[in-house]
Amino acid sequence: MDWLHMTMPIAGVEVFWPGLVILGLGVGIIGSFFGMGGGWMVTPGLNILGFPMAFAIGTDITSMAGNSLISTMRHARFGNVDYRLGAVMVIGTVSGFEAGAQMIMWLESLGHVDLFVRVGYLVLLALIAWVIFTDVQAKRRRDAELRAAGRAASGDEGGIQWHRKFHRLRIPPMIHFKTSGIYCSVWLPIGVSFLTGWLAGILGIGGGLIRLPALIYLIGVPTHVAVGTDLFEVVISALYGCGSYTYKGRTELLAAVIMLCGAALGAQIGAVATKYVKGYGIRLFFGVAVAGCGLSIAFKLAASAFPAARWFFDPAAAVLILGLVVALAGFIVFKFLRGAREEIAMKRAQQRSYVEK
Amino acid sequence: MFGIQALLVRAAALLLVLPAGLAAAGAAGQRLVFVADSRRYAGWQAWFTNLYNESLAQFTLLTIVLVPLLALALSSVMGFFLSRTGIDLKSRPGGGAH
């Protein structure tokens, strides 16, 4: 079975290449559905496949640049991309990302980069999962109250509404984002994108994991538009990150290209699947993904802290992250197939009735 | 309201100052240099590893040109096959809304 393994010319490690294609396919489906690059899956995934963390981050960002470009193109066709908002956020994203990337280089020289990245991931994932589940719970409570009062459910309204407070800040210049239906201070998206870009640079991710909830909860962008706009941002930040990490010699280009072959199919499936799922459905499953990923990082940290129990925690982390990717990708593919089947059946029925008339 | 604005202004000032300090701190990390073992390879792999070792600028240029081009090509191919299924790939129900 030697043909299933390939030596990566830059990193010099032997890698199970079908694992890279599967990882690309999974991240393409999930990333395109949730509007993110998928660094939270790919960086640990590449690490599990045998890449050193420094190469895992650069390679991940490089494949993410291609993957998110494919997803953005598909989402743009559905009107899910707010280019104006994305362009404004580029300023904060790029400067924040470079600050984060410089910080990770400094930490690497101190020799604590793996620990720092994992602890950072864990804290961030816990916080995001908490926000999303609190939001979903608040939304359910509100819908139950509306139903009790004999009124219709609130659509995407009803959960956490932090953005309303931020919209009241009238720091000039003010700006109108038509696609998102938002009027706010231009400093709000710039500030939010700097913060998310900085975190992305430190953690070696495109930033979608942080930016999607930030777009929804801090800026008030509708879920579907947040997904598309987030991907547009990921393209820019990942391309910048790709250049930055590659120039520092931390990218295994061959691995990124192999992953992109799987991601090309996955990205199309994930983007089309958003047609068939409501905004709050996307939020809820995003929360599940974040919580599962956080648990796998906790296992990795526990393995470092308790070397005697490493035999349990290391495989458990790998199984959990792979299980999560398979389960989420399976769910999205199921939604895609069911939605597509219904849409095609409806079209055929319409054609039949037209012919009969 | 004034309190929140003051807090945001201070946070923005801190965020503007932060990159300079981090950039200064980043210099030590750049001393770590990775070298690919090009002696193990022949053909395109030897060229590839030599490019990486000799000019990271050219290697970076190759990467940031190749990846988007490959993505566009693969996207076109996959989009073509997907459009054959009969799915509407240009709109979604309630497009633009929540």
Side-chain angles (χ1 to χ4, degrees):
Chain A
M1 294 297 230
D2 274 356
W3 63 277
L4 290 175
H5 290 82
M6 185 185 269
T7 304
M8 294 291 120
I10 307 295
V13 290
E14 191 94 352
V15 169
F16 177 66
W17 66 263
L20 291 173
V21 178
I22 294 166
L23 198 61
L25 180 70
V27 80
I29 293 171
I30 296 169
S32 188
F33 184 79
F34 292 122
M36 56 195 172
W40 55 278
M41 293 175 284
V42 181
T43 302
L46 286 172
N47 205 212
I48 288 164
L49 283 172
F51 281 86
M53 194 53 112
F55 276 103
I57 294 172
T59 306
D60 164 22
I61 291 181
T62 302
S63 78
M64 191 187 294
N67 179 16
S68 51
L69 183 61
I70 298 168
S71 306
T72 304
M73 285 164 66
R74 181 55 60 211
H75 274 284
R77 290 282 184 94
F78 295 141
N80 290 348
V81 183
D82 190 329
Y83 287 109
R84 196 175 197 195
L85 176 61
V88 166
M89 288 180 76
V90 165
I91 304 163
T93 301
V94 171
S95 54
F97 191 93
E98 185 54 31
Q102 292 288 347
M103 192 174 175
I104 205 74
M105 296 291 284
W106 169 66
L107 285 166
E108 200 175 282
S109 71
L110 297 178
H112 297 299
V113 67
D114 279 16
L115 182 67
F116 183 86
V117 167
R118 282 185 180 147
V119 170
Y121 260 136
L122 189 59
V123 171
L124 197 66
L125 295 177
L127 190 68
I128 292 169
W130 174 78
V131 168
I132 292 167
F133 290 131
T134 304
D135 173 42
V136 171
Q137 204 176 11
K139 150 88 175 158
R140 280 185 178 165
R141 208 167 35 234
R142 185 180 157 128
D143 280 356
E145 284 168 7
L146 286 171
R147 273 195 297 272
R151 289 157 63 188
S154 55
D156 241 19
E157 291 284 323
I160 290 173
Q161 301 284 330
W162 293 339
H163 62 274
R164 288 188 177 170
K165 287 180 184 169
F166 289 113
H167 287 183
R168 282 188 215 122
L169 298 170
R170 302 275 164 170
I171 304 169
M174 301 297 285
I175 190 164
H176 183 218
F177 299 109
K178 274 186 194 167
T179 311
S180 304
I182 294 168
Y183 181 70
C184 66
S185 166
V186 76
W187 298 107
L188 175 61
I190 290 176
V192 168
S193 59
F194 182 89
L195 186 67
T196 54
W198 177 67
L199 285 166
I202 288 175
L203 300 176
I205 57 179
L209 176 73
I210 321 156
R211 209 179 302 111
L212 182 77
L215 276 165
I216 294 171
Y217 296 116
L218 301 181
I219 304 181
V221 180
T223 308
H224 282 90
V225 181
V227 168
T229 308
D230 195 4
L231 279 164
F232 174 62
E233 278 295 298
V234 173
V235 174
I236 293 158
S237 65
L239 264 178
Y240 183 79
C242 159
S244 178
Y245 271 92
T246 306
Y247 193 65
K248 286 161 189 146
R250 310 300 164 87
T251 299
E252 181 58 74
L253 180 56
L254 182 61
V257 166
I258 294 170
M259 284 173 66
L260 203 52
C261 295
L265 175 62
Q268 301 277 352
I269 293 172
V272 176
T274 60
K275 274 177 55 154
Y276 311 122
V277 182
K278 286 180 183 172
Y280 253 88
I282 295 174
R283 288 191 204 185
L284 178 62
F285 285 99
F286 181 77
V288 172
V290 168
C293 182
L295 197 59
S296 83
I297 304 290
F299 280 174
K300 278 275 177 191
L301 282 170
S304 304
F306 308 105
R310 187 175 279 272
W311 63 270
F312 169 75
F313 286 120
D314 273 345
V319 167
L320 187 67
I321 201 91
L322 290 175
L324 189 67
V325 169
V326 169
L328 282 171
F331 164 77
I332 295 164
V333 169
F334 170 73
K335 287 282 182 186
F336 166 78
L337 291 174
R338 197 175 67 172
R341 196 180 60 191
E342 284 171 3
E343 186 185 328
I344 291 164
M346 199 168 71
K347 273 185 183 171
R348 281 182 184 158
Q350 281 172 346
Q351 279 171 350
R352 267 198 303 272
S353 68
Y354 179 76
V355 170
E356 282 166 12
K357 278 178 190 173
Chain B
M1 184 62 73
F2 180 75
I4 295 174
Q5 282 188 354
L7 189 67
L8 282 175
V9 168
R10 282 174 196 167
L14 178 68
L15 292 176
L16 285 172
V17 171
L18 207 54
L22 293 175
Q30 287 168 356
R31 284 188 208 123
L32 288 171
V33 176
F34 289 89
V35 179
D37 188 1
S38 57
R39 295 167 303 179
R40 295 165 61 184
Y41 307 108
W44 72 269
Q45 283 182 311
W47 172 81
F48 192 67
T49 47
N50 279 326
L51 183 69
Y52 175 84
N53 289 336
E54 286 163 15
S55 174
L56 274 176
Q58 285 180 30
F59 188 78
T60 304
L61 194 64
L62 172 74
T63 305
I64 58 175
V65 169
L66 182 71
V67 169
L69 282 178
L70 190 65
L72 289 173
L74 288 169
S75 174
S76 303
V77 172
M78 296 298 173
F80 172 77
F81 285 114
L82 208 58
S83 66
R84 303 287 101 185
T85 61
I87 302 170
D88 178 8
L89 296 175
K90 288 179 183 165
S91 64
R92 72 176 166 84
H98 287 261

